[in-house]
Amino acid sequence: MGEDIVSRAGNLLGTNEEIATDAPQSTAALEGELSNGERSELIDALLNRRSVISSGPYAQVSSSVLAANSRAAEAELRAAMLRAEARELNWLPTLGPTISLNSLGSIVANLVVEQTLFDNGAKRSEREFARADVEVAAVALAQDTNDRVYQALDLYLTAQASEARAAVNEGGMARMERFEYVMSERVNAGINDRADLQLVQQKLTQMRSDVLEDREAASSARAELAAMSATSLDGVSGIDTISDPAGTSQPLDVMKVEAEGTRGMAEARALQAGYSPSVSATGLIGEGGGAGIDVGIPNGLGFGRRADMAAIDAMGQAAELQVAEQREDSNREVAAIEGQITSLRRQQSNIQTIISQANDNYTLFEEQLRAGQRTVPEVVGVFRTKLDAERDAVALRYDLARQELKLARIYGTLVDGEDI
């Protein structure tokens, strides 16, 4: 990642020594080693995460959408890493030209060399800020990658659920059309009036409308999924069983706020150092050159200094409170999703009982219709209740799968850390 820059002393003195560069490229965007050579615990935690998706349709969808990912967040991470590399060299002298016009009307050009000797930790804080900025960008990349996979899987489940609901109605369409035919014959024979026929026709029309809506919803979701995929996913179908989304992982939102808090603390320390004296050595190379020691206070001693220092202290307190607040929000969100999962599983067990009872009722009503004890509209109503229960069972199945994936997205376990 990035470029390894080797600076030679000769370059600092203005000689003709060349700068040797080496820019090895890595296949992974996340690297646990920071610009100062130390390992980042936060990035290592991201790298060590294992996806709850192993194989099957979920893996096919995930691989396809990641292959087509523009990865803007990765570009932000690379920029942060390069900035951190640059800040690691901020302890070296700075070189800059100075051009002036003297009293005789001639132009004098010199080279100014400045080396900071003591700055109360300002430059160290700048380096810490840059490293923390890398960690913030790393979490943002992990969030972006997991969000993309979740969006794709959500579209996939929407298409699958819509197609499954449409299949339930299509499976009962022939029976409803048969009821309509029987009812129309009974009306023509004067056994029933036209109101009964219209009731049956209305239910049949509603079934056809539901099928069209489900097919349109499936087609729209498939089109969106195709737009964000590198390969065709038309033949992919089914639902996977995923492992525990949480495990020992920490929600990505909490990790990001913690990284932002660390970055904010580094910024506060750099600002605080600016209110204390700093010492630097300067040298002028060229005509009339010389050297000296400069002592100054970068931020000055204005009347608002006390308020500025209090504001800096408040930044640290705010960072701690933001982490606690985000941890609470994430815990609430996780608890809500887990409660929804528990509820959906309970509804799944109940819906099977409802479907069984609806099937028994329909069988009984159909027998009574043949015996002349029930009317066609009554049987049609029971039949629609049976189909509605089957459609609800389909929806519950996919809603449960969606909630499980949503929980995995919060913990950032939809993608292997090493694959980011």
Side-chain angles (χ1 to χ4, degrees), residues 150-169:
Y150 173 77
Q151 290 168 6
L153 292 173
D154 182 51
L155 289 171
Y156 170 76
L157 291 176
T158 298
Q160 290 283 294
S162 298
E163 291 169 355
R165 286 196 303 268
V168 171
N169 270 4

Side-chain angles (χ1 to χ4, degrees), residues 200 217 262 310 341 351 380 384 397 419:
V200 175
T262 302
I341 290 174
I351 199 68
V380 168
R384 276 307 308 269
R397 183 185 178 205
D419 292 339

Side-chain angles (χ1 to χ4, degrees), residues 389-407:
E390 292 175 354
R391 285 169 60 84
D392 289 343
V394 167
L396 285 172
R397 183 185 178 205
Y398 288 95
D399 287 344
L400 176 59
R402 184 176 286 106
Q403 293 300 320
E404 290 174 342
L405 292 173
K406 187 180 294 186
L407 193 61

Side-chain angles (χ1 to χ4, degrees), residues 13-35:
L13 299 176
T15 64
N16 293 326
E17 294 285 351
E18 295 183 351
I19 296 177
T21 63
D22 183 21
Q25 297 297 321
S26 174
T27 57
L30 284 183
E31 288 288 346
E33 185 173 320
L34 295 173
S35 53

Side-chain angles (χ1 to χ4, degrees), residues 89-145:
L89 303 177
N90 68 354
W91 57 273
L92 293 173
T94 58
L95 306 176
T98 177
I99 301 176
S100 61
L101 183 66
N102 62 20
S103 59
L104 300 177
S106 60
I107 296 176
V108 178
N110 294 302
L111 185 65
V112 177
V113 181
E114 182 176 3
Q115 173 65 60
T116 300
L117 302 178
F118 177 74
D119 63 356
N120 293 282
K123 292 189 178 297
R124 181 178 66 249
S125 297
E126 288 179 5
R127 296 193 293 271
E128 292 172 353
F129 177 91
R131 291 193 289 268
D133 196 37
V134 171
E135 294 183 332
V136 172
V139 180
L141 174 59
Q143 285 180 316
D144 179 78
T145 307

Side-chain angles (χ1 to χ4, degrees), residues 100-335:
S100 61
L101 183 66
N102 62 20
S103 59
L104 300 177
S106 60
I107 296 176
V108 178
N110 294 302
L111 185 65
V112 177
V113 181
E114 182 176 3
Q115 173 65 60
T116 300
L117 302 178
F118 177 74
D119 63 356
N120 293 282
K123 292 189 178 297
R124 181 178 66 249
S125 297
E126 288 179 5
R127 296 193 293 271
E128 292 172 353
F129 177 91
R131 291 193 289 268
D133 196 37
V134 171
E135 294 183 332
V136 172
V139 180
L141 174 59
Q143 285 180 316
D144 179 78
T145 307
N146 279 270
D147 286 347
R148 180 176 178 82
V149 171
Y150 173 77
Q151 290 168 6
L153 292 173
D154 182 51
L155 289 171
Y156 170 76
L157 291 176
T158 298
Q160 290 283 294
S162 298
E163 291 169 355
R165 286 196 303 268
V168 171
N169 270 4
E170 288 172 341
M173 196 71 69
R175 184 61 58 89
M176 283 294 293
E177 289 172 349
R178 177 63 181 174
F179 284 140
E180 181 194 28
Y181 170 76
V182 170
M183 200 66 209
S184 63
E185 291 297 317
R186 291 172 70 89
V187 169
N188 292 335
I191 300 173
N192 292 91
D193 58 31
R194 186 161 296 275
D196 292 334
L197 175 60
Q198 290 176 344
L199 179 62
V200 175
Q201 289 175 335
Q202 184 271 330
K203 291 185 180 295
L204 179 58
T205 301
Q206 184 62 52
M207 283 184 64
R208 289 170 176 163
S209 176
D210 290 342
V211 170
L212 288 176
E213 289 181 7
D214 289 335
R215 290 300 179 188
E216 288 170 357
S219 177
S220 176
R222 287 282 186 187
E224 284 191 64
L225 184 58
M228 61 188 302
S229 303
T231 57
S232 175
L233 298 172
D234 291 339
V236 181
S237 62
I239 295 180
D240 278 343
T241 300
I242 64 175
S243 55
D244 179 19
T248 58
S249 301
Q250 186 175 208
L252 291 180
D253 286 339
V254 176
M255 296 182 69
K256 187 174 183 181
V257 172
E258 287 181 346
E260 289 173 341
T262 302
R263 184 178 64 180
M265 291 295 294
E267 181 182 15
R269 285 192 293 270
L271 291 172
Q272 197 169 35
Y275 287 97
S276 300
S278 63
V279 182
S280 61
T282 59
L284 191 65
I285 302 175
E287 184 178 343
I293 299 294
D294 294 332
V295 179
I297 300 177
N299 294 342
L301 294 173
F303 293 104
R305 180 178 182 276
R306 179 175 297 179
D308 284 338
M309 295 295 288
I312 291 171
D313 292 336
M315 288 176 62
Q317 298 174 5
E320 294 177 1
L321 293 175
Q322 286 172 354
V323 172
E325 182 179 3
Q326 183 58 59
R327 184 174 285 110
E328 179 184 335
D329 291 344
S330 297
N331 289 339
R332 288 177 56 193
E333 186 177 7
V334 168

Side-chain angles (χ1 to χ4, degrees), residues 39-50:
R39 300 290 301 182
S40 166
E41 292 183 6
L42 183 145
I43 297 180
D44 281 340
L46 293 175
L47 287 169
N48 292 332
R49 297 197 176 203
R50 291 295 170 263

